[in-house]
Amino acid sequence: DAGVIQSPRHEVTEMGQEVTLRCKPISGHDYLFWYRQTMMRGLELLIYFNNNVPIDDSGMPEDRFSAKMPNASFSTLKIQPSEPRDSAVYFCASSTGQSPTTDTQYFGPGTRLTVL
Amino acid sequence: GQQVMQIPQYQHVQEGEDFTTYCNSSTTLSNIQWYKQRPGGHPVFLIQLVKSGEVKKQKRLTFQFGEAKKNSSLHITATQTTDVGTYFCAVNTGFQKLVFGTGTRLLVSP
C-alpha cells in the first residue's frame, strides 16, 4: 500500500489567497483526520471524518477553514483567505476504526504551508 | 478539553546514555499510544498500552502504563543516533479521536 498521500508537499502563498490541501487515505480506512503542527501549539486535531461524514470539527480554528470528504479516497482542507498565522505543517492521517480500543493512525508526509 | 503534558520538553544525551520521557494526564485514561516523529518527518505509531501497570518492550524501548492509568513513560536504553526525534504520547478522547501530548524532543550526540 502506498500509505497516506498528501499534496502538495510544500505550498508558499501570499496572504489573502485561497489554499487547498489534498489527502488520499489508505484504502479501506474508514477514518480520516486533519492535523496542524506548529512549534507553539504542537500537534492539533482540526477535524475528522468517519465514512466521509465529519464527526468533530471543534478544532477548526475559524470560518476561514473548511474540509470536505466527497468520497472514501479523497479529502480536502481549504483555507480562504489565508493568513500568515496559518503557516504550519498540515498532516492528514487515516485509521481503520475497527479496533475495540483506539486504532493506530497512519500519517501522511504532511504539507508545509507558508503564508507570506 | 483533555490536556496531556509531557516532560521533559527537550533532552540532549550522548550516544549510549539512557533516556526517559513521561506523559501525564489529570484524568484516567482508557489507553495510551506512543508515536515517534523524525526531524522533517511525520508521526509514526510505536505502541499502544491498555492495561493498568502494563509494560511492553520493543528492543531498547520500554513502555509503561501507570497503575492508575493516568501516566505513562517511554524509556530508551543506550540511545543511538537513530533515536533522534520527537516522541509523543497520545490519548483517546472518544470515537477514535486522539489528543497528542506536547512531545519530548530527543537529540543524541555521537
Side-chain angles (χ1 to χ4, degrees):
Chain A
D1 200 319
V4 175
I5 299 172
Q6 290 188 247
S7 65
R9 294 293 307 276
H10 302 273
E11 177 82 32
V12 180
T13 191
E14 293 189 343
M15 182 173 63
Q17 296 298 306
E18 177 179 295
V19 175
T20 299
L21 310 181
R22 297 172 176 80
C23 175
K24 175 179 169 56
I26 293 172
S27 177
H29 282 195
D30 292 337
Y31 284 81
L32 183 141
F33 306 83
W34 282 101
Y35 290 90
R36 177 173 68 176
Q37 186 174 40
T38 61
M39 288 294 293
M40 291 297 295
R41 301 178 66 89
L43 193 58
E44 304 174 275
L45 177 65
L46 301 177
I47 185 171
Y48 75 102
F49 297 82
N50 177 214
N51 291 323
N52 313 337
V53 176
I55 302 300
D56 185 342
D57 65 354
S58 60
M60 295 287 261
E62 48 197 275
D63 292 344
R64 296 184 298 105
F65 285 69
S66 63
K68 294 182 179 179
M69 193 164 185
N71 57 63
S73 59
F74 183 66
S75 177
T76 60
L77 177 67
K78 186 175 293 186
I79 308 172
Q80 166 63 18
S82 58
E83 297 182 2
R85 60 192 169 123
D86 301 329
S87 296
V89 180
Y90 291 82
F91 288 105
C92 175
S94 68
S95 68
T96 63
Q98 295 174 3
S99 170
T101 54
T102 309
D103 270 333
T104 300
Q105 291 189 11
Y106 296 85
F107 282 74
T111 294
R112 181 173 295 276
L113 174 64
T114 302
V115 183
L116 303 174
Chain B
Q2 173 79 48
Q3 288 192 329
V4 182
M5 298 304 297
Q6 279 186 255
I7 54 173
Q9 278 189 302
Y10 171 81
Q11 189 154 8
H12 185 179
V13 301
Q14 294 292 316
E15 191 172 24
E17 293 181 336
D18 292 355
F19 160 77
T20 305
T21 173
Y22 301 90
C23 183
N24 298 295
S25 168
S26 58
T27 60
T28 302
L29 305 170
S30 58
N31 57 76
I32 192 164
Q33 296 184 357
W34 285 91
Y35 288 76
K36 176 184 178 181
Q37 183 177 18
R38 294 182 185 275
H42 56 277
V44 174
F45 174 81
L46 293 176
I47 208 159
Q48 177 167 254
L49 305 172
V50 179
K51 300 177 182 176
S52 168
E54 189 170 17
V55 178
K56 287 188 176 180
K57 292 190 176 184
Q58 290 180 350
K59 297 183 180 179
R60 296 177 293 103
L61 277 61
T62 302
F63 303 84
Q64 289 190 315
F65 203 5
E67 293 290 341
K69 300 183 74 173
K70 288 186 176 183
N71 56 71
S72 181
S73 65
L74 158 58
H75 179 82
I76 303 178
T77 303
T79 55
Q80 300 175 359
T81 54
T82 54
D83 296 324
V84 165
T86 301
Y87 292 85
F88 294 95
C89 61
V91 302
N92 174 262
T93 59
F95 304 105
Q96 301 294 329
K97 180 178 177 179
L98 289 177
V99 171
F100 280 78
T102 48
T104 296
R105 183 181 167 202
L106 173 64
L107 182 61
V108 181
S109 294

PDB file of all heavy atoms in Angstrom, chain B residues 59-76:
ATOM      1  N   LYS B  59      12.756  -3.931  21.613  1.00  0.00           N
ATOM      2  CA  LYS B  59      14.220  -3.838  21.571  1.00  0.00           C
ATOM      3  C   LYS B  59      14.701  -2.963  22.732  1.00  0.00           C
ATOM      4  O   LYS B  59      14.554  -3.321  23.891  1.00  0.00           O
ATOM      5  CB  LYS B  59      14.679  -3.315  20.215  1.00  0.00           C
ATOM      6  CG  LYS B  59      14.312  -4.247  19.076  1.00  0.00           C
ATOM      7  CD  LYS B  59      14.840  -3.731  17.740  1.00  0.00           C
ATOM      8  CE  LYS B  59      14.452  -4.681  16.625  1.00  0.00           C
ATOM      9  NZ  LYS B  59      14.922  -4.202  15.288  1.00  0.00           N
ATOM     10  N   ARG B  60      15.267  -1.805  22.454  1.00  0.00           N
ATOM     11  CA  ARG B  60      15.802  -0.953  23.516  1.00  0.00           C
ATOM     12  C   ARG B  60      14.751  -0.019  24.123  1.00  0.00           C
ATOM     13  O   ARG B  60      15.055   0.747  25.031  1.00  0.00           O
ATOM     14  CB  ARG B  60      16.964  -0.116  22.956  1.00  0.00           C
ATOM     15  CG  ARG B  60      18.168  -0.944  22.506  1.00  0.00           C
ATOM     16  CD  ARG B  60      19.260  -0.058  21.901  1.00  0.00           C
ATOM     17  NE  ARG B  60      18.809   0.547  20.653  1.00  0.00           N
ATOM     18  CZ  ARG B  60      18.414   1.800  20.546  1.00  0.00           C
ATOM     19  NH1 ARG B  60      18.445   2.603  21.600  1.00  0.00           N
ATOM     20  NH2 ARG B  60      18.027   2.267  19.376  1.00  0.00           N
ATOM     21  N   LEU B  61      13.529  -0.073  23.629  1.00  0.00           N
ATOM     22  CA  LEU B  61      12.472   0.809  24.125  1.00  0.00           C
ATOM     23  C   LEU B  61      11.569   0.055  25.093  1.00  0.00           C
ATOM     24  O   LEU B  61      11.130  -1.057  24.799  1.00  0.00           O
ATOM     25  CB  LEU B  61      11.630   1.324  22.955  1.00  0.00           C
ATOM     26  CG  LEU B  61      12.134   2.543  22.172  1.00  0.00           C
ATOM     27  CD1 LEU B  61      13.479   2.293  21.521  1.00  0.00           C
ATOM     28  CD2 LEU B  61      11.104   2.969  21.133  1.00  0.00           C
ATOM     29  N   THR B  62      11.308   0.673  26.262  1.00  0.00           N
ATOM     30  CA  THR B  62      10.397   0.095  27.244  1.00  0.00           C
ATOM     31  C   THR B  62       9.296   1.096  27.532  1.00  0.00           C
ATOM     32  O   THR B  62       9.575   2.249  27.868  1.00  0.00           O
ATOM     33  CB  THR B  62      11.128  -0.248  28.551  1.00  0.00           C
ATOM     34  OG1 THR B  62      12.188  -1.159  28.275  1.00  0.00           O
ATOM     35  CG2 THR B  62      10.163  -0.871  29.558  1.00  0.00           C
ATOM     36  N   PHE B  63       8.057   0.644  27.401  1.00  0.00           N
ATOM     37  CA  PHE B  63       6.888   1.484  27.605  1.00  0.00           C
ATOM     38  C   PHE B  63       6.144   0.994  28.839  1.00  0.00           C
ATOM     39  O   PHE B  63       5.953  -0.205  29.023  1.00  0.00           O
ATOM     40  CB  PHE B  63       5.944   1.404  26.394  1.00  0.00           C
ATOM     41  CG  PHE B  63       6.576   1.777  25.087  1.00  0.00           C
ATOM     42  CD1 PHE B  63       7.306   0.838  24.364  1.00  0.00           C
ATOM     43  CD2 PHE B  63       6.442   3.059  24.577  1.00  0.00           C
ATOM     44  CE1 PHE B  63       7.889   1.166  23.155  1.00  0.00           C
ATOM     45  CE2 PHE B  63       7.015   3.398  23.360  1.00  0.00           C
ATOM     46  CZ  PHE B  63       7.743   2.444  22.649  1.00  0.00           C
ATOM     47  N   GLN B  64       5.709   1.957  29.668  1.00  0.00           N
ATOM     48  CA  GLN B  64       4.949   1.593  30.864  1.00  0.00           C
ATOM     49  C   GLN B  64       3.681   2.422  30.952  1.00  0.00           C
ATOM     50  O   GLN B  64       3.673   3.604  30.607  1.00  0.00           O
ATOM     51  CB  GLN B  64       5.788   1.840  32.123  1.00  0.00           C
ATOM     52  CG  GLN B  64       6.940   0.873  32.314  1.00  0.00           C
ATOM     53  CD  GLN B  64       7.568   1.009  33.687  1.00  0.00           C
ATOM     54  OE1 GLN B  64       7.803   2.111  34.155  1.00  0.00           O
ATOM     55  NE2 GLN B  64       7.844  -0.110  34.333  1.00  0.00           N
ATOM     56  N   PHE B  65       2.643   1.792  31.471  1.00  0.00           N
ATOM     57  CA  PHE B  65       1.385   2.472  31.746  1.00  0.00           C
ATOM     58  C   PHE B  65       1.190   2.434  33.257  1.00  0.00           C
ATOM     59  O   PHE B  65       1.305   1.366  33.866  1.00  0.00           O
ATOM     60  CB  PHE B  65       0.228   1.747  31.052  1.00  0.00           C
ATOM     61  CG  PHE B  65      -0.987   2.576  30.797  1.00  0.00           C
ATOM     62  CD1 PHE B  65      -1.042   3.939  31.072  1.00  0.00           C
ATOM     63  CD2 PHE B  65      -2.131   1.984  30.258  1.00  0.00           C
ATOM     64  CE1 PHE B  65      -2.177   4.690  30.808  1.00  0.00           C
ATOM     65  CE2 PHE B  65      -3.273   2.727  29.975  1.00  0.00           C
ATOM     66  CZ  PHE B  65      -3.297   4.083  30.252  1.00  0.00           C
ATOM     67  N   GLY B  66       0.922   3.570  33.859  1.00  0.00           N
ATOM     68  CA  GLY B  66       0.817   3.644  35.301  1.00  0.00           C
ATOM     69  C   GLY B  66      -0.321   2.821  35.871  1.00  0.00           C
ATOM     70  O   GLY B  66      -1.305   2.539  35.183  1.00  0.00           O
ATOM     71  N   GLU B  67      -0.181   2.470  37.123  1.00  0.00           N
ATOM     72  CA  GLU B  67      -1.194   1.659  37.794  1.00  0.00           C
ATOM     73  C   GLU B  67      -2.556   2.357  37.806  1.00  0.00           C
ATOM     74  O   GLU B  67      -3.596   1.715  37.689  1.00  0.00           O
ATOM     75  CB  GLU B  67      -0.765   1.352  39.231  1.00  0.00           C
ATOM     76  CG  GLU B  67       0.444   0.443  39.360  1.00  0.00           C
ATOM     77  CD  GLU B  67       0.145  -0.991  38.944  1.00  0.00           C
ATOM     78  OE1 GLU B  67      -1.042  -1.376  38.901  1.00  0.00           O
ATOM     79  OE2 GLU B  67       1.116  -1.731  38.653  1.00  0.00           O
ATOM     80  N   ALA B  68      -2.533   3.664  37.966  1.00  0.00           N
ATOM     81  CA  ALA B  68      -3.778   4.436  37.985  1.00  0.00           C
ATOM     82  C   ALA B  68      -4.228   4.842  36.589  1.00  0.00           C
ATOM     83  O   ALA B  68      -5.263   5.509  36.436  1.00  0.00           O
ATOM     84  CB  ALA B  68      -3.608   5.676  38.852  1.00  0.00           C
ATOM     85  N   LYS B  69      -3.476   4.459  35.588  1.00  0.00           N
ATOM     86  CA  LYS B  69      -3.776   4.787  34.180  1.00  0.00           C
ATOM     87  C   LYS B  69      -3.911   6.298  33.980  1.00  0.00           C
ATOM     88  O   LYS B  69      -4.759   6.771  33.226  1.00  0.00           O
ATOM     89  CB  LYS B  69      -5.030   4.055  33.703  1.00  0.00           C
ATOM     90  CG  LYS B  69      -4.905   2.536  33.776  1.00  0.00           C
ATOM     91  CD  LYS B  69      -6.124   1.815  33.246  1.00  0.00           C
ATOM     92  CE  LYS B  69      -6.213   1.857  31.748  1.00  0.00           C
ATOM     93  NZ  LYS B  69      -7.321   1.019  31.215  1.00  0.00           N
ATOM     94  N   LYS B  70      -3.034   7.044  34.660  1.00  0.00           N
ATOM     95  CA  LYS B  70      -3.002   8.493  34.462  1.00  0.00           C
ATOM     96  C   LYS B  70      -1.657   8.948  33.926  1.00  0.00           C
ATOM     97  O   LYS B  70      -1.481  10.123  33.619  1.00  0.00           O
ATOM     98  CB  LYS B  70      -3.285   9.223  35.777  1.00  0.00           C
ATOM     99  CG  LYS B  70      -4.731   9.140  36.247  1.00  0.00           C
ATOM    100  CD  LYS B  70      -4.946  10.005  37.461  1.00  0.00           C
ATOM    101  CE  LYS B  70      -6.406  10.016  37.873  1.00  0.00           C
ATOM    102  NZ  LYS B  70      -6.644  10.916  39.027  1.00  0.00           N
ATOM    103  N   ASN B  71      -0.711   8.038  33.839  1.00  0.00           N
ATOM    104  CA  ASN B  71       0.585   8.421  33.338  1.00  0.00           C
ATOM    105  C   ASN B  71       1.243   7.257  32.622  1.00  0.00           C
ATOM    106  O   ASN B  71       0.842   6.098  32.778  1.00  0.00           O
ATOM    107  CB  ASN B  71       1.482   8.930  34.467  1.00  0.00           C
ATOM    108  CG  ASN B  71       1.613   7.921  35.569  1.00  0.00           C
ATOM    109  OD1 ASN B  71       2.259   6.888  35.403  1.00  0.00           O
ATOM    110  ND2 ASN B  71       0.989   8.188  36.707  1.00  0.00           N
ATOM    111  N   SER B  72       2.252   7.612  31.847  1.00  0.00           N
ATOM    112  CA  SER B  72       2.956   6.609  31.067  1.00  0.00           C
ATOM    113  C   SER B  72       4.386   7.095  30.856  1.00  0.00           C
ATOM    114  O   SER B  72       4.676   8.288  30.975  1.00  0.00           O
ATOM    115  CB  SER B  72       2.272   6.398  29.714  1.00  0.00           C
ATOM    116  OG  SER B  72       2.936   5.415  28.948  1.00  0.00           O
ATOM    117  N   SER B  73       5.275   6.168  30.564  1.00  0.00           N
ATOM    118  CA  SER B  73       6.655   6.541  30.293  1.00  0.00           C
ATOM    119  C   SER B  73       7.212   5.707  29.155  1.00  0.00           C
ATOM    120  O   SER B  73       6.750   4.598  28.875  1.00  0.00           O
ATOM    121  CB  SER B  73       7.519   6.363  31.545  1.00  0.00           C
ATOM    122  OG  SER B  73       7.587   4.995  31.905  1.00  0.00           O
ATOM    123  N   LEU B  74       8.192   6.309  28.506  1.00  0.00           N
ATOM    124  CA  LEU B  74       8.959   5.633  27.458  1.00  0.00           C
ATOM    125  C   LEU B  74      10.430   5.745  27.838  1.00  0.00           C
ATOM    126  O   LEU B  74      10.930   6.863  28.042  1.00  0.00           O
ATOM    127  CB  LEU B  74       8.704   6.305  26.105  1.00  0.00           C
ATOM    128  CG  LEU B  74       9.756   6.104  24.995  1.00  0.00           C
ATOM    129  CD1 LEU B  74       9.953   4.642  24.678  1.00  0.00           C
ATOM    130  CD2 LEU B  74       9.365   6.885  23.751  1.00  0.00           C
ATOM    131  N   HIS B  75      11.086   4.626  27.951  1.00  0.00           N
ATOM    132  CA  HIS B  75      12.495   4.598  28.326  1.00  0.00           C
ATOM    133  C   HIS B  75      13.290   3.969  27.191  1.00  0.00           C
ATOM    134  O   HIS B  75      12.913   2.907  26.680  1.00  0.00           O
ATOM    135  CB  HIS B  75      12.682   3.779  29.613  1.00  0.00           C
ATOM    136  CG  HIS B  75      14.102   3.676  30.064  1.00  0.00           C
ATOM    137  ND1 HIS B  75      14.720   4.665  30.783  1.00  0.00           N
ATOM    138  CD2 HIS B  75      15.023   2.705  29.872  1.00  0.00           C
ATOM    139  CE1 HIS B  75      15.970   4.309  31.027  1.00  0.00           C
ATOM    140  NE2 HIS B  75      16.181   3.124  30.502  1.00  0.00           N
ATOM    141  N   ILE B  76      14.360   4.650  26.802  1.00  0.00           N
ATOM    142  CA  ILE B  76      15.261   4.110  25.790  1.00  0.00           C
ATOM    143  C   ILE B  76      16.591   3.785  26.459  1.00  0.00           C
ATOM    144  O   ILE B  76      17.219   4.672  27.064  1.00  0.00           O
ATOM    145  CB  ILE B  76      15.484   5.076  24.620  1.00  0.00           C
ATOM    146  CG1 ILE B  76      14.140   5.447  23.973  1.00  0.00           C
ATOM    147  CG2 ILE B  76      16.412   4.450  23.580  1.00  0.00           C
ATOM    148  CD1 ILE B  76      14.260   6.447  22.828  1.00  0.00           C
TER     149      ILE B  76
END
